[in-house]
Amino acid sequence: MALFTPEEQDRIAAAVTSAEKSTSGEIFTVVARSSDDYRFIPVLWAALAALLVPLPLIFATSLSVQVIYAAQLAVFCALAILFSQRAVRPLVVPRPILERRAHRNAVEQFLAHGLHTTRDRTGVLVFVSLAERYAEVVADEAIDEKVDQAVWDEAVAALIAHIRAARPADGFIAAVEICGRALAEHFPPRPDDDNELSDRIVEI
Protein backbone atom coordinates (compact mmCIF):
# COMPACT_ATOMS: atom_id res chain seq x y z
CA MET A 1 0.00 0.00 0.00
CA ALA A 2 1.41 3.38 -1.03
CA LEU A 3 2.31 5.84 1.69
CA PHE A 4 1.32 8.80 -0.47
CA THR A 5 -1.60 9.26 -2.82
CA PRO A 6 -0.81 9.81 -6.51
CA GLU A 7 -1.72 13.48 -6.04
CA GLU A 8 0.71 13.82 -3.14
CA GLN A 9 3.43 12.06 -5.11
CA ASP A 10 2.87 14.50 -7.97
CA ARG A 11 3.06 17.48 -5.61
CA ILE A 12 6.37 16.31 -4.15
CA ALA A 13 7.80 15.61 -7.60
CA ALA A 14 6.68 19.06 -8.78
CA ALA A 15 8.43 20.65 -5.79
CA VAL A 16 11.66 18.84 -6.66
CA THR A 17 11.38 19.85 -10.32
CA SER A 18 10.75 23.47 -9.37
CA ALA A 19 13.64 23.58 -6.88
CA GLU A 20 16.07 22.07 -9.39
CA LYS A 21 15.28 24.74 -11.99
CA SER A 22 17.33 27.18 -9.90
CA THR A 23 20.33 24.93 -9.29
CA SER A 24 22.65 22.38 -10.83
CA GLY A 25 22.19 20.27 -7.69
CA GLU A 26 20.04 17.16 -7.52
CA ILE A 27 17.40 16.59 -4.84
CA PHE A 28 16.10 13.09 -4.18
CA THR A 29 13.36 12.04 -1.74
CA VAL A 30 12.88 8.70 0.03
CA VAL A 31 10.38 7.58 2.67
CA ALA A 32 10.78 4.24 4.46
CA ARG A 33 8.14 2.49 6.51
CA SER A 34 10.90 1.14 8.76
CA SER A 35 14.69 0.88 8.62
CA ASP A 36 14.94 -2.51 10.35
CA ASP A 37 12.69 -5.29 11.60
CA TYR A 38 14.31 -5.18 15.10
CA ARG A 39 13.21 -8.75 15.73
CA PHE A 40 16.04 -9.60 18.10
CA ILE A 41 15.32 -6.77 20.57
CA PRO A 42 11.74 -7.81 21.52
CA VAL A 43 13.01 -11.35 22.09
CA LEU A 44 15.89 -10.01 24.18
CA TRP A 45 13.57 -7.99 26.43
CA ALA A 46 11.25 -10.99 26.78
CA ALA A 47 14.19 -13.20 27.76
CA LEU A 48 15.45 -10.70 30.34
CA ALA A 49 11.98 -10.41 31.89
CA ALA A 50 11.60 -14.20 31.96
CA LEU A 51 14.91 -14.55 33.79
CA LEU A 52 13.48 -12.47 36.65
CA VAL A 53 10.32 -14.54 37.03
CA PRO A 54 11.77 -17.36 39.21
CA LEU A 55 13.25 -15.06 41.87
CA PRO A 56 10.05 -14.00 43.68
CA LEU A 57 8.46 -17.41 43.11
CA ILE A 58 11.36 -19.29 44.66
CA PHE A 59 11.61 -17.13 47.76
CA ALA A 60 7.95 -16.24 48.33
CA THR A 61 6.09 -19.38 47.31
CA SER A 62 6.32 -23.14 47.60
CA LEU A 63 5.65 -23.79 43.94
CA SER A 64 7.43 -26.70 42.35
CA VAL A 65 10.30 -26.27 39.94
CA GLN A 66 8.09 -27.46 37.11
CA VAL A 67 5.44 -24.81 37.81
CA ILE A 68 8.04 -22.06 38.09
CA TYR A 69 9.64 -23.14 34.83
CA ALA A 70 6.23 -23.17 33.15
CA ALA A 71 5.52 -19.65 34.44
CA GLN A 72 8.91 -18.49 33.18
CA LEU A 73 8.25 -19.98 29.76
CA ALA A 74 4.76 -18.48 29.61
CA VAL A 75 6.07 -15.00 30.45
CA PHE A 76 8.76 -15.29 27.80
CA CYS A 77 6.32 -16.39 25.09
CA ALA A 78 3.69 -13.78 25.99
CA LEU A 79 6.14 -10.88 26.07
CA ALA A 80 7.96 -12.03 22.93
CA ILE A 81 4.67 -12.08 21.04
CA LEU A 82 3.53 -8.73 22.50
CA PHE A 83 6.82 -6.91 21.92
CA SER A 84 7.11 -8.32 18.40
CA GLN A 85 3.88 -6.70 17.21
CA ARG A 86 4.64 -4.23 14.43
CA ALA A 87 3.07 -1.31 16.31
CA VAL A 88 4.82 -2.15 19.60
CA ARG A 89 8.25 -3.11 18.31
CA PRO A 90 9.69 0.41 17.84
CA LEU A 91 8.51 1.35 21.34
CA VAL A 92 10.75 -1.24 23.02
CA VAL A 93 13.85 -0.47 20.97
CA PRO A 94 16.24 2.03 22.61
CA ARG A 95 16.28 5.38 20.81
CA PRO A 96 20.02 5.29 19.95
CA ILE A 97 19.51 1.98 18.13
CA LEU A 98 16.54 3.37 16.19
CA GLU A 99 18.58 6.40 15.13
CA ARG A 100 21.61 4.33 14.10
CA ARG A 101 19.51 1.98 11.98
CA ALA A 102 17.64 4.85 10.34
CA HIS A 103 20.85 6.78 9.66
CA ARG A 104 22.42 3.68 8.15
CA ASN A 105 19.38 3.25 5.91
CA ALA A 106 19.62 6.89 4.81
CA VAL A 107 23.26 6.41 3.79
CA GLU A 108 22.39 3.16 2.01
CA GLN A 109 19.62 4.90 0.06
CA PHE A 110 22.00 7.74 -0.82
CA LEU A 111 24.42 5.25 -2.33
CA ALA A 112 21.83 2.87 -3.81
CA HIS A 113 20.20 5.63 -5.86
CA GLY A 114 23.51 7.03 -7.09
CA LEU A 115 23.43 10.42 -5.40
CA HIS A 116 27.19 10.13 -4.99
CA THR A 117 27.65 9.74 -8.75
CA THR A 118 26.20 13.06 -9.92
CA ARG A 119 28.57 14.97 -12.18
CA ASP A 120 29.51 17.65 -9.66
CA ARG A 121 28.87 15.63 -6.47
CA THR A 122 25.87 17.82 -5.70
CA GLY A 123 23.26 15.23 -4.70
CA VAL A 124 21.00 15.83 -1.69
CA LEU A 125 18.80 13.16 -0.12
CA VAL A 126 15.72 14.07 1.92
CA PHE A 127 14.99 10.93 3.92
CA VAL A 128 12.31 9.87 6.41
CA SER A 129 11.92 6.58 8.25
CA LEU A 130 8.43 6.52 9.71
CA ALA A 131 8.66 3.72 12.29
CA GLU A 132 11.69 5.39 13.88
CA ARG A 133 10.21 8.87 13.58
CA TYR A 134 13.50 9.88 12.00
CA ALA A 135 14.33 12.41 9.30
CA GLU A 136 17.66 13.38 7.80
CA VAL A 137 19.17 15.33 4.93
CA VAL A 138 22.26 13.68 3.46
CA ALA A 139 24.37 15.88 1.18
CA ASP A 140 27.32 14.94 -1.02
CA GLU A 141 30.79 16.28 -0.31
CA ALA A 142 30.73 19.24 -2.70
CA ILE A 143 27.63 20.58 -0.97
CA ASP A 144 28.78 19.90 2.58
CA GLU A 145 31.83 22.07 1.93
CA LYS A 146 29.65 25.11 1.25
CA VAL A 147 26.29 24.70 2.98
CA ASP A 148 26.06 25.08 6.74
CA GLN A 149 24.55 22.23 8.76
CA ALA A 150 21.96 24.68 10.10
CA VAL A 151 20.27 24.64 6.68
CA TRP A 152 19.77 20.87 6.80
CA ASP A 153 18.58 21.15 10.41
CA GLU A 154 15.98 23.68 9.29
CA ALA A 155 14.80 21.35 6.53
CA VAL A 156 14.54 18.42 8.94
CA ALA A 157 12.65 20.54 11.49
CA ALA A 158 10.13 21.62 8.85
CA LEU A 159 9.72 18.05 7.67
CA ILE A 160 9.15 16.69 11.18
CA ALA A 161 6.73 19.47 12.09
CA HIS A 162 4.50 18.68 9.12
CA ILE A 163 4.68 14.92 9.75
CA ARG A 164 3.56 15.46 13.35
CA ALA A 165 0.66 17.48 11.97
CA ALA A 166 -0.26 14.52 9.72
CA ARG A 167 0.85 16.37 6.58
CA PRO A 168 3.92 14.37 5.45
CA ALA A 169 3.64 15.46 1.81
CA ASP A 170 3.72 19.12 2.87
CA GLY A 171 6.74 18.26 5.01
CA PHE A 172 8.67 16.88 2.07
CA ILE A 173 7.72 19.88 -0.04
CA ALA A 174 8.89 22.31 2.65
CA ALA A 175 12.18 20.44 3.09
CA VAL A 176 12.75 20.33 -0.67
CA GLU A 177 12.15 24.07 -0.95
CA ILE A 178 14.66 24.81 1.84
CA CYS A 179 17.27 22.55 0.25
CA GLY A 180 16.57 24.05 -3.16
CA ARG A 181 17.20 27.60 -1.92
CA ALA A 182 20.51 26.56 -0.37
CA LEU A 183 21.61 24.79 -3.53
CA ALA A 184 20.60 27.72 -5.73
CA GLU A 185 22.79 30.04 -3.66
CA HIS A 186 25.93 27.96 -4.05
CA PHE A 187 25.28 25.88 -7.18
CA PRO A 188 23.43 27.91 -9.83
CA PRO A 189 22.07 26.15 -12.91
CA ARG A 190 24.29 25.58 -15.93
CA PRO A 191 23.37 25.71 -19.63
CA ASP A 192 24.24 22.04 -20.13
CA ASP A 193 22.60 20.87 -16.91
CA ASP A 194 20.75 17.52 -17.05
CA ASN A 195 18.24 16.05 -14.64
CA GLU A 196 20.39 13.15 -13.45
CA LEU A 197 17.98 11.68 -10.90
CA SER A 198 14.24 11.04 -10.80
CA ASP A 199 12.07 13.70 -9.18
CA ARG A 200 9.57 11.10 -7.90
CA ILE A 201 9.59 10.14 -4.25
CA VAL A 202 10.73 6.57 -3.55
CA GLU A 203 8.72 4.56 -1.02
CA ILE A 204 10.39 1.55 0.59
Side-chain angles (χ1 to χ4, degrees):
M1 184 176 181
L3 296 171
F4 292 106
T5 66
E7 179 186 3
E8 289 173 328
Q9 293 172 0
D10 290 342
R11 289 175 57 218
I12 295 169
V16 173
T17 301
S18 177
E20 290 182 347
K21 287 179 180 178
S22 302
T23 176
S24 59
E26 293 286 337
I27 302 173
F28 196 79
T29 55
V30 174
V31 58
R33 290 172 175 80
S34 179
S35 291
D36 200 310
D37 59 20
Y38 304 104
R39 293 190 183 279
F40 74 97
I41 292 180
V43 173
L44 176 61
W45 282 121
L48 291 174
L51 287 174
L52 299 176
V53 169
L55 294 178
L57 298 180
I58 290 172
F59 293 106
T61 72
S62 58
L63 295 174
S64 67
V65 172
Q66 292 86 352
V67 172
I68 292 175
Y69 175 73
Q72 187 178 32
L73 184 60
V75 167
F76 171 77
C77 293
L79 291 180
I81 292 172
L82 173 63
F83 292 162
S84 295
Q85 298 301 307
R86 185 177 297 274
V88 177
R89 210 178 302 161
L91 302 178
V92 300
V93 180
R95 187 65 198 170
I97 294 177
L98 292 173
E99 292 180 354
R100 283 199 296 271
R101 294 291 192 277
H103 171 70
R104 183 183 67 184
N105 194 13
V107 173
E108 288 174 352
Q109 294 303 312
F110 186 93
L111 298 174
H113 293 286
L115 274 79
H116 62 301
T117 62
T118 59
R119 181 171 57 178
D120 297 322
R121 303 299 299 269
T122 54
V124 173
L125 171 68
V126 180
F127 173 84
V128 169
S129 193
L130 296 175
E132 293 79 4
R133 300 178 182 179
Y134 181 90
E136 182 176 2
V137 174
V138 182
D140 209 343
E141 58 183 20
I143 297 173
D144 261 344
E145 293 173 357
K146 296 185 177 181
V147 180
D148 191 86
Q149 179 62 37
V151 174
W152 311 136
D153 293 343
E154 180 188 358
V156 168
L159 182 51
I160 291 175
H162 281 88
I163 290 175
R164 286 176 176 169
R167 298 192 304 270
D170 291 339
F172 270 98
I173 292 169
V176 165
E177 290 173 348
I178 292 169
C179 293
R181 289 194 295 270
L183 290 174
E185 180 180 352
H186 298 284
F187 302 94
R190 300 182 313 186
D192 61 343
D193 190 36
D194 292 323
N195 189 18
E196 301 178 67
L197 300 172
S198 171
D199 295 344
R200 307 290 297 182
I201 189 167
V202 171
E203 300 181 6
I204 58 175

